[in-house]
Amino acid sequence: MEHLVDLDVLAYRLQPAIEEWKRWATVGPLTWRDEHASWPQPITLDRSSVRVPESLGLTLRRGDDVFEAVVWTGGWADVGFLLDDEVYTFCPEFRGVDGAYEAVVKDVYDFLA
């Protein structure tokens, strides 16, 4: 996979936003998947156990509503939320950390609105 997004930088950039989101929702820990791990590639909370980050995941919960996003280093995200018993899915594409950050923040604020 082509590496268009530095997931470590993205995780760092998201930290202030995550702290703000905690005012309105329960925010789970960031999750990681290692590109070089053997199949099936495990999802882990321990960044130090990941040699080459392939994805960065984030979950928010507010009551029965759930938001999930997985950002891929290749330049897209798999985003979904369950809101009032309706499922919404998106697959934004971007190049670089700035685009990934903007996409995640926009989708979270759409979920929280």
Side-chain angles (χ1 to χ4, degrees):
M1 175 182 314
E2 186 177 7
H3 290 241
L4 302 175
V5 179
D6 184 326
L7 297 175
D8 287 311
V9 173
L10 178 60
Y12 176 79
R13 292 252 333 258
L14 284 172
Q15 286 306 316
I18 288 170
E19 290 306 312
E20 182 179 339
W21 299 335
K22 288 179 180 179
R23 294 173 51 202
W24 299 290
T26 301
V27 182
L30 296 176
T31 59
W32 302 86
R33 188 169 108 168
D34 190 336
E35 182 176 326
H36 289 183
S38 60
W39 186 259
Q41 295 160 299
I43 306 301
T44 182
L45 303 176
D46 181 11
R47 169 60 184 95
S48 66
S49 70
V50 174
R51 290 177 288 162
V52 179
E54 179 178 49
S55 71
L56 173 67
L58 173 70
T59 302
L60 285 81
R61 296 181 186 283
R62 187 175 60 186
D64 292 333
D65 299 334
V66 180
F67 171 94
E68 293 182 335
V70 178
V71 179
W72 298 90
T73 192
W76 75 91
D78 295 318
V79 179
F81 40 94
L82 174 65
L83 188 59
D84 297 325
D85 295 324
E86 294 288 329
V87 175
Y88 302 88
T89 60
F90 310 93
C91 189
E93 295 181 8
F94 35 77
R95 294 188 76 75
V97 171
D98 289 341
Y101 176 84
E102 291 169 11
V104 170
V105 168
K106 177 199 171 300
D107 289 337
V108 168
Y109 283 119
D110 287 349
F111 168 75
L112 293 174

